[in-house]
Structure formats: structure tokens, C-alpha cells
């Protein structure tokens, strides 16, 4: 990956604007598959189960998806049984201007998402895989093409690791409401 593109230090320190909080509320709501206002291990297990089913995965690939999603839960939960939005937000705030900017941390996190979405493991995300990702996190898959097009910056009808990681990084650190990546985890609630 181009280190210039992937450097989280190119982004200014996050001020946690209302826009940034709204992006993370959207992300939280889509991860919270039960809709009960708490993130739980079961939400991450459900994502893995859906990704495996939609990708028709088995064996090592299915096991890897399960491990990646459960690792995300462990990072977010800090050993708790459930996490509220405020706790999730506090955890994100703790890392955004600190450990998330350490060399390799953001790459590892964005690549774990990439690997989950790239269900066939061919190193690119197809439109069908992106639609399945949206479906897995409870977003109407008909909204996928518009987001896919924004992430696919070279317009070759596939999302490379570099394109994905750049969009993920901009979602993580960016506070520009006009960013094409603001809907990375689905359209934000207009309220």
C-alpha cells in the first residue's frame, strides 16, 4: 500500500465534531444487529454468520471471518458483556488521536474489515461482496452501488485494498461532511 495514502498522520487531530459523532452513531447502529442499544458478542457473531452464509464460505475462510469479527468485539468490549453507544464512543475517542495512529494499527484494522468483506479471498471487493457486506450489517443492499462507486476511485468496478483502506481511514479520521466516504458504513441518519 502507498504509505503516503495510508498515513493516519496526514489527518489533523480529530475534534470529535457533531458530524464525526454522527458517523460513529451510524456505525454503532449497523453493528448493533439486535437493535437493543448495546453491542454484544452476539452482534459480531451474527455478522460473521451472515458473511459466511452470503459468501458460501466454509473451512479456513469461514473460521478466519469468525476470528476477525470476534477480535473486533474483544477490542471494543474491553472485557465487558455489552457496550453502550457512549462506551463505544469513549473507546473510539481514546484511540482516534492516540493508538489508532501508531504505525500499522489502522492498516491492520482496516485490512481485517477488508478480509471479512472480500469473501472469496481474491484480494478485491466486488460489487456483489459489497452488497453482501451492507446486507450483513443491516443496510439495504440497494444503497451499496452509490457507496461502492465512491470507494472505487479508479472506476474499474472493483475495490482494491488501497481504495478500501483509504476510504476506511477517511471515515475514521475525517471530519469533512462533504467527504465521499462519510457513508462508508451506510447512509447517515438525516436527523
Amino acid at each position: 500500500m502507498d504509505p503516503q495514502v495510508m498515513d493516519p498522520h496526514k489527518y489533523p487531530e480529530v475534534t470529535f465534531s457533531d458530524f464525526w459523532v454522527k458517523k460513529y452513531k451510524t456505525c454503532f447502529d449497523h453493528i448493533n444487529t439486535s437493535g437493543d442499544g448495546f453491542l454484544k458478542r452476539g452482534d459480531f457473531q451474527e455478522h460473521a454468520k451472515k458473511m459466511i452464509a452470503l459468501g458460501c464460505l466454509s473451512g479456513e475462510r469461514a473460521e478466519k471471518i469468525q476470528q476477525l469479527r470476534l477480535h473486533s468485539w474483544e477490542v471494543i468490549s474491553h472485557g465487558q458483556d455489552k457496550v453502550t453507544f457512549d462506551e463505544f464512543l469513549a473507546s473510539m475517542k481514546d484511540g482516534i488521536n492516540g493508538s489508532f495512529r501508531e504505525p500499522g494499527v489502522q492498516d491492520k484494522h482496516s485490512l481485517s474489515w477488508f478480509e471479512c468483506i472480500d469473501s472469496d479471498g481474491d484480494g478485491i471487493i466486488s460489487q456483489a461482496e459489497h452488497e453482501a457486506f451492507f446486507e450483513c450489517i443491516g443496510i439495504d443492499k440497494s444503497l451499496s452501488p452509490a457507496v461502492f462507486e465512491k470507494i472505487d476511485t479508479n472506476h474499474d468496478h472493483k475495490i482494491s485494498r488501497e481504495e478500501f483502506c483509504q476510504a476506511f481511514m477517511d471515515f475514521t479520521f475525517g471530519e469533512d461532511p462533504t467527504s465521499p466516504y462519510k457513508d462508508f458504513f451506510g447512509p447517515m441518519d438525516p436527523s
Side-chain angles (χ1 to χ4, degrees), residues 25 61 67 69-70 77 89 111 127 134 163 174 176:
K25 176 68 170 131
R61 190 78 186 132
Q67 289 173 354
R69 294 309 297 138
L70 290 178
S77 72
L89 195 60
L111 286 174
Q127 178 64 60
F134 265 33
E163 288 169 325
D176 178 1

Side-chain angles (χ1 to χ4, degrees), residues 10-11 19-20 23 146-147 150-151 153 166-186 188:
K10 81 172 196 159
Y11 291 91
F19 171 74
W20 185 90
K23 284 192 307 183
V147 175
K150 290 174 186 173
I151 298 171
T153 57
Q166 180 59 52
F168 189 90
M169 188 164 313
D170 194 82
F171 180 88
T172 302
F173 298 109
E175 294 188 273
D176 178 1
T178 65
S179 168
Y181 306 124
K182 71 178 185 264
D183 295 328
F184 186 85
F185 282 101
M188 295 189 329

Side-chain angles (χ1 to χ4, degrees), residues 39-110:
L39 296 184
K40 297 183 289 275
R41 181 181 180 91
D43 294 319
F44 291 79
Q45 289 171 317
E46 183 64 23
H47 288 162
K49 184 178 168 184
K50 286 180 181 179
M51 287 176 173
I52 290 165
L54 288 168
C56 301
L57 306 176
S58 61
E60 288 180 28
R61 190 78 186 132
E63 180 63 28
K64 180 154 181 131
I65 298 298
Q66 290 172 340
Q67 289 173 354
L68 289 168
R69 294 309 297 138
L70 290 178
H71 176 73
S72 292
W73 163 246
E74 296 303 326
V75 168
I76 290 169
S77 72
H78 301 288
Q80 299 180 97
D81 293 333
K82 58 185 178 180
V83 176
T84 65
F85 174 66
D86 289 339
E87 292 166 333
F88 172 73
L89 195 60
S91 177
M92 295 307 296
K93 285 180 175 182
D94 284 346
I96 290 293
N97 290 325
S99 64
F100 288 13
R101 292 180 187 254
E102 291 174 8
V105 171
Q106 190 62 23
D107 294 346
K108 184 177 180 178
H109 191 63
S110 60

